[in-house]
Every structure is written in C-alpha cells, then in structure tokens.
Amino acid sequence: MDSTEPYQLHVFFFPLMAQGHLIPFVDMARRFSSHGVKVTIITTPLNACLFSNTIDRDKQLGLDISIQLIPFPSEEAGLPKGYENAGSFPNFSAVALKFFNGLSFLQQPFEELLQEHRPDCVVADMAFPWVTDVSAKLGIPSLIFHGTCFFSLCISDSFRRYTPHENIKSETDTFVVPGLPDQIELTRSQLSDDLKKKTDLSKMMERIRESERKSFGILVNSFYELEPAYADHYRTVVGRKAWHVGPVSLSNRNIADKSERGNRASINEHAWLRWLDSKKPNSVLYVSFGSMARLTATQLLEVAMGIEASGQSFIWVLRLNAEDSEQRRITEEFEKKMEGRGLIIRDWAPQILFLDHPAVGGFLTHCGWNSTLESISAGVPMITWPLFAEQFYNEKLITQVLKVGMSVGTMEYQRVGGEKALVKREVIIKVVEQLMGVGEEAEQMRSRARELKEMAERAFEEGGSSYADLTALIEELRLHPRPTV
Ligand SMILES: O=c1ccn([C@@H]2O[C@H](COP(=O)(O)OP(=O)(O)O[C@H]3O[C@H](CO)[C@@H](O)[C@H](O)[C@H]3O)[C@@H](O)[C@H]2O)c(=O)[nH]1
C-alpha cells in the first residue's frame, strides 16, 4: 500500500436477526463502505438471503463489502428449523425468550471470526451484550446499535434513573417522564411488563446497559436537526459517546436496492407503480404495522371498516396468521370490495418506494423507529398507532415534539403477535379524515413534514451533520490503537 494512502479500516457489523434491526444495519454497513471502510456483515444463512443481492450490486460497483455466515442455533435454542428471523415466527411472543437466549450460542462462532479477521471495530446489535467483552479481549473497540432514536433512548434512561412509574398506582393515570427537555407524559399501561417487574428480558436489559458502559460508544440512526435537544441530552446527561449517522434508509440510491430492501416485495413493481401513478398527489394513505405485528381478526375488521367508511384511497400491507381462516376471509372480502380504491399487499412491500411516491400523503404506522424515520425522510405525516417495544415513546416524538402526526389514542402495550386492544372504526374514520383532509392542522403537518424531509436530506449529504459525524467517527477509529494479534 502507498504509505500516503490512509489506512483502510475493517469494521464488522453484527445485526440482530429481526427486520427492524437487520435493515438499518445493512444500510449503515453500506454507508460505511461508501466511505472507504472495508465492511463484513456477520449473519445467518436465511438472513443473508434477504440482502445478498444488494451486497452483490455494491461489490460490482467496487465497494469492499462482504457477508460472513454463521449458523443459526435452532436446535440449541429449541426452535424449529427454517426460522432464523424474529419476524418469521407466526407468534414471536411465544418464542421470544428462547430466541433471545439462543443468541448466546452465536458467541463462539462470532469469536472465531474475530480471532481470524481481527477487524478494527465491531458494530454490534444491543441484543449481543457479550460482544463488548469478547472484542475487548482482542483490543477491538465495539459500538452498540439500539435501532431507535435519541428521544426514546433518553426516555429509557429516565425510567432507569428515576423509576417514575413505580410511584403510580393506576395503570391509566398519566405521569411525567422526569428530567427530559420537554414535558412528556405516559401511562403505566403503555409500558412493557419488563419495565414494571423483574423478568428474564429485564435482566437482559441490565446486561445491555453494562455492555453499553464498556463500549466505545453508540451509533444512532437519526440526524441532529431532528431531535437536537435529545441528542445533546443523551450525550451530556445520559453521558454516552454517540454518533448519529441517519437517516440510513437514504443509503439506498437506486430502484433495485429500494425495492429489494429487507426482502423481495410480494407485488410486481409495474402493478403498484401504475396504480399509484393513477392517483392524485397526497391522496393515498399507506397502512403498515412493520415487520413483526399481526393484528387480530376483530381488529383487522375494524381497520377495514374504518378505511372503507373514510372513503380514502389506500395501500395496506397485511401480515396475517397463516392458520387464521377468519383473517383471510375478512381481508379477501375487503380486497374485492375495495378494488380500484385500495391496494392490499400481503407479506412484504417496498416501503420506502411507496413513501417516496407523490401520491402517498399519509402513513398509518405502528411507530417502529425505522418506519417513523422513513416517513420523516419522505415528508409524509403520520397517523400513530403504537403497539409495543419503544413505539409509545416514538409516538410522543412524532405527535408532541415534531408535530407531524395524529394519534389513534391507543393506551395499552401489546405483546408482539397478540395484539388485543381494539381501536374502533369510528376513531379510524375520524383520524384518517383529519390527516388526509384539507383542515388547517393537516396542512400545517404536511408543511412541517416537508421541512423535515429537506433537513433529513441535508444532514445525510456531504457537509451535513450525519455525514460529518460518520467522518469524525471513522477518523477517531483510525487513530485508535490497532487490535492485538
Ligand atoms: O412490508 C414491509 C414491512 C416493513 N418494511 C421495512 O421494515 C422495517 C420495519 O422496521 P420498523 O418500522 O422499525 O418496525 P419493526 O419491524 O416493528 O421494528 C422493531 O425494531 C425497531 C428498531 O429497533 C423498533 O423501533 C420497533 O419498535 C420494533 O418493533 C422498515 O425499514 C420498513 O421499511 C418493508 O420494507 N416492507
């Protein structure tokens, strides 16, 4: 190598096997690679199939990026063969503990890869808290990725620090989350059980925090201008070193990468594009609950009836339970009735292409952070319907801080795959009409959403805050002592 050339860093990326984590991880890895870093993504065979075409295209463009496979420990974890991704299980709640416990079996193959390749840095999902120690043994710095925004990381920190929820008797009384830049209120009913009592998952969260403290820092898929008060709060009050590198979905520049992102879409591109092209700007509502959630038959019916009565054109991405004939019947009948006015997509949609289409004017979302940030990056206001994880926190950022969304008003934390709370059709009709209508509030939201889109693009481009943070991180890693051999 020419001695004037900067040293080429080698970074391992190790995502959790769940679409909400795998997708931003792959985007992030590709982003590092486009900055001249040699990148290796570590995952299991069935997860690799979900993005290997994209990586092959990057390689053809000359990027130094590759995938290293390790076996998924189905047998050791007591899980059926052929399921390697959290979103592929019909009822993830029922197997979540086995799945997370099973992740520890990945430690040995991961350690062997580290020994063999000695990368300069590891970016690991928070779900692998052992990575920090394993890497430190070899003198390799590790960065942790949570998948969510600064805002929600700050709320989680406040719960740990002040435990405000422990002094509240009622599940439905609101309380203020202490110590934050804004007055954010939640109810106990919106919190996960793992926060309210000691469970195996809450013990795992303890290990995650410990590994965070020992790590080199945190990577965040967000941009500074979106949540400046929370980015500052996280760095100064929570006290973690953090780099914001998002919105990482903007790493996908061409149609092939966008349409195959995370999976192969289950609808032909010409069919949906022709359909959306035939619609007026901002006239279509996009409805999706992410990669994990499955609504009950009763809830599906309420959504269907609500959308029908609202008179709104729509695209609805459905994730059904294969064995539930009632779900199939309801949605098939609805699909027939709505022909022309609505497009129903089963399993997987090219979400970022939909959100980017000028006809899409609103997104009914479960507030997963990726969907939220993708909607913001596309300038699309949201209807918020949080279900689980940190989605109730994200909802507050959307509706209260950024003011680019309206809530359906759900109050109850759900288990993944077992959604029970019922949002009635009347509520759906009202909020759809409000967001997609011509009122002043909706107009202001659309205008704020457009501003955020521009800010997101600027942050990601050369000269922007996310670009600068990534460049600074790469420089800092270059100065870090090389791993021990
Ligand atoms: O048909 C689909 C469905 C989903 N997606 C993509 O899949 C991702 C889904 O991620 P997200 O919106 O964050 O939802 P979940 O899959 O539910 O994500 C989990 O992980 C996130 C990151 O930690 C958390 O914010 C969520 O609460 C948690 O449920 C997004 O990139 C979507 O664009 C598609 O492309 N097509």
Side-chain angles (χ1 to χ4, degrees):
M1 192 176 78
D2 177 348
S3 61
T4 56
E5 264 181 43
Y7 171 78
Q8 189 189 21
L9 284 175
H10 182 195
V11 180
F12 265 21
F13 284 82
F14 189 26
L16 175 69
M17 299 81 179
Q19 295 291 35
H21 291 237
L22 190 61
I23 290 173
F25 247 101
V26 171
D27 285 347
M28 235 171 10
R30 300 177 63 220
R31 179 72 165 161
F32 272 69
S33 170
S34 71
H35 279 244
V37 173
K38 174 181 159 84
V39 161
T40 306
I41 305 172
I42 320 289
T43 196
T44 70
L46 291 182
N47 284 291
C49 292
L50 300 174
F51 62 90
S52 53
N53 286 350
T54 306
I55 301 303
D56 287 344
R57 275 191 292 273
D58 281 354
K59 281 192 203 155
Q60 279 161 18
L61 292 172
L63 295 187
D64 197 347
I65 185 164
S66 59
I67 305 173
Q68 272 283 345
L69 298 180
I70 49 178
F72 187 82
S74 310
E75 208 171 309
E76 296 90 329
L79 292 167
K81 264 196 173 335
Y83 295 88
E84 297 189 0
N85 186 297
S88 59
F89 293 93
N91 180 357
F92 183 66
S93 289
V95 295
L97 202 56
K98 280 187 184 172
F99 184 86
F100 284 115
N101 286 339
L103 297 179
S104 61
F105 293 105
L106 298 173
Q107 180 168 337
Q108 194 196 333
F110 179 79
E111 223 170 325
E112 284 164 11
L113 283 177
L114 267 191
Q115 296 271 7
E116 187 187 333
H117 296 271
R118 308 275 166 155
D120 299 291
C121 174
V122 175
V123 179
D125 200 286
M126 63 164 186
F128 307 120
W130 37 266
V131 165
T132 315
D133 284 338
V134 166
S135 312
K137 271 200 293 193
L138 300 175
I140 302 171
S142 54
L143 290 159
I144 294 180
F145 183 67
H146 287 267
T148 195
C149 50
F150 285 112
F151 179 84
S152 289
L153 290 172
C154 292
I155 293 192
S156 301
D157 180 73
S158 169
F159 277 120
R160 281 192 294 274
R161 233 174 249 261
Y162 307 109
T163 58
H165 54 297
E166 287 180 3
N167 310 322
I168 308 289
K169 295 271 171 303
S170 148
E171 284 293 302
T172 50
D173 284 353
T174 54
F175 63 87
V176 176
V177 184
L180 297 180
D182 295 289
Q183 166 130 342
I184 304 298
E185 293 181 350
L186 287 163
T187 61
R188 271 178 68 88
S189 61
Q190 295 173 319
L191 308 179
S192 149
D193 277 350
D194 305 300
L195 206 72
K196 298 186 227 172
K197 53 183 190 234
K198 272 251 172 307
T199 63
D200 286 326
L201 236 44
S202 59
K203 283 182 216 147
M204 184 177 139
M205 288 313 290
E206 258 316 309
R207 279 197 73 194
I208 292 172
R209 276 191 288 285
E210 186 55 32
S211 77
E212 226 180 72
R213 278 190 284 272
K214 291 194 237 159
S215 73
F216 193 65
I218 314 291
L219 278 190
V220 185
N221 178 19
S222 185
F223 58 102
Y224 183 77
E225 296 75 5
L226 182 69
E227 37 171 0
Y230 293 89
D232 292 342
H233 182 93
Y234 189 70
R235 287 171 171 129
T236 54
V237 180
V238 180
R240 297 268 185 278
K241 242 175 141 174
W243 291 268
H244 54 269
V245 295
V248 297
S249 62
L250 297 180
S251 306
N252 298 279
R253 303 275 187 198
N254 63 50
I255 298 283
D257 290 347
K258 288 181 185 179
S259 65
E260 278 189 320
R261 183 168 176 258
N263 210 336
R264 183 110 0 119
S266 47
I267 179 167
N268 170 295
E269 187 187 328
H270 300 291
W272 67 258
L273 193 58
R274 217 177 20 248
W275 188 85
L276 270 179
D277 281 348
S278 73
K279 303 289 173 199
K280 291 203 183 79
N282 292 327
S283 68
V284 175
L285 177 72
Y286 173 59
V287 182
S288 171
F289 293 90
S291 69
M292 309 274 294
R294 288 176 168 84
L295 302 184
T296 58
T298 329
Q299 185 62 85
L300 285 170
L301 184 64
E302 290 301 307
V303 175
M305 295 298 104
I307 291 177
E308 180 180 354
S310 72
Q312 191 61 56
S313 293
F314 67 92
I315 298 180
W316 185 5
V317 187
L318 288 174
R319 296 182 69 74
L320 303 181
N321 284 327
E323 308 90 58
D324 193 327
S325 56
E326 186 59 3
Q327 291 195 347
R328 230 185 13 255
R329 185 190 63 73
I330 292 168
T331 50
E332 279 170 7
E333 278 179 24
F334 182 62
E335 185 174 19
K336 269 194 215 119
K337 224 191 310 178
M338 291 293 104
E339 210 181 317
R341 206 182 99 191
L343 206 57
I344 297 235
I345 296 178
R346 291 179 175 78
D347 299 326
W348 200 258
Q351 178 159 307
I352 52 174
L353 283 175
F354 284 175
L355 288 171
D356 271 343
H357 195 285
V360 172
F363 182 8
L364 170 51
T365 173
H366 72 312
C367 308
W369 180 244
N370 297 291
S371 292
T372 302
L373 192 57
E374 289 157 18
S375 203
I376 287 169
S377 308
V380 174
M382 287 163 264
I383 294 174
T384 58
W385 183 335
L387 297 166
F388 49 82
E390 86 307 8
Q391 296 154 17
F392 285 93
Y393 308 169
N394 297 340
E395 174 181 59
K396 298 287 174 190
L397 176 69
I398 300 167
T399 56
Q400 198 182 319
V401 180
L402 302 172
K403 301 191 175 66
V404 287
M406 298 174 181
S407 172
V408 296
T410 42
M411 298 299 289
E412 208 180 329
Y413 190 96
Q414 305 295 307
R415 286 160 66 82
V416 184
E419 285 69 43
K420 58 179 167 19
L422 208 56
V423 177
K424 297 283 187 202
R425 65 190 74 175
E426 293 75 22
V427 175
I428 298 171
I429 299 168
K430 190 164 159 237
V431 72
V432 168
E433 284 173 352
Q434 260 174 357
L435 187 89
M436 302 297 286
V438 289
E440 195 182 329
E441 197 185 356
E443 206 36 73
Q444 282 174 356
M445 276 188 190
R446 278 193 281 274
S447 142
R448 266 193 300 274
R450 278 194 297 273
E451 283 167 25
L452 289 178
K453 170 186 160 79
E454 282 168 21
M455 284 158 72
E457 284 164 354
R458 273 201 301 276
F460 198 71
E461 283 164 10
E462 191 164 356
S465 63
S466 291
Y467 192 101
D469 241 22
L470 177 58
T471 315
L473 170 62
I474 291 174
E475 279 318 305
E476 203 169 329
L477 289 173
R478 278 212 182 98
L479 296 174
H480 196 272
R482 302 270 84 79
T484 47
V485 182

